[in-house]
Amino acid sequence: MQIFEVLADPVRRRILELLAPGEMASGEVVEVIGAEFGITQAAVSQHLKVLRESGFATVRAEAQRRLYSVDVAGLRAVDAWIGRFRNFWEPKLDALATEIARGKREPRNAPITKRGGKRARVR
């Protein structure tokens, strides 16, 4: 369950959201997270370390910069755990998709009626 302890923190979830589109320099992460959460560079670095050590982020050096990106290993672990419960909602989602498709195919035969109300005119 350690993976969910890592994801339970809103700062770490936000960092992953920032990294989702692609690599980001640690300084850029610090700037955004610091502004949004009001935490220091040291605190952001600690969150990045937790993400790295738990398999959610990777880092590579480029000269003086450290570039972070999402590590799919951590996300696969989450997906594997959640996957055990997919059979609970997938049939319902499939049924919903069928009903939506059916509604798009079948014309509605019910007449449109005007609603009465304070501003409705009686004819």
Side-chain angles (χ1 to χ4, degrees), residues 21-123:
E23 282 186 326
M24 195 170 192
S26 59
E28 295 170 313
V29 174
V30 167
E31 187 176 316
V32 173
I33 297 298
E36 289 182 11
F37 290 91
I39 61 177
T40 65
Q41 180 273 333
V44 175
S45 293
Q46 191 62 33
H47 284 292
L48 287 167
K49 180 181 177 184
V50 169
L51 289 171
R52 211 175 48 246
E53 290 178 350
S54 61
F56 283 99
T58 60
V59 64
R60 71 177 181 87
E62 184 180 87
Q64 299 298 320
R65 295 171 20 136
R66 298 292 174 259
L67 298 172
Y68 281 84
S69 60
V70 171
D71 186 342
V72 296
L75 298 177
R76 282 190 187 123
V78 171
D79 186 56
W81 188 85
I82 291 173
R84 294 185 278 175
F85 302 97
R86 278 197 178 90
N87 62 335
F88 292 114
W89 68 76
E90 280 186 344
K92 291 175 177 64
L93 292 175
D94 291 342
L96 176 61
T98 300
E99 289 302 317
I100 290 170
R102 184 177 295 142
K104 288 180 180 178
R105 284 192 311 258
E106 295 176 3
R108 299 205 190 310
N109 293 330
I112 298 174
T113 59
K114 291 184 180 181
R115 289 184 155 180
K118 289 182 182 177
R119 296 184 184 199
R121 290 186 186 189
V122 180
R123 294 182 183 195

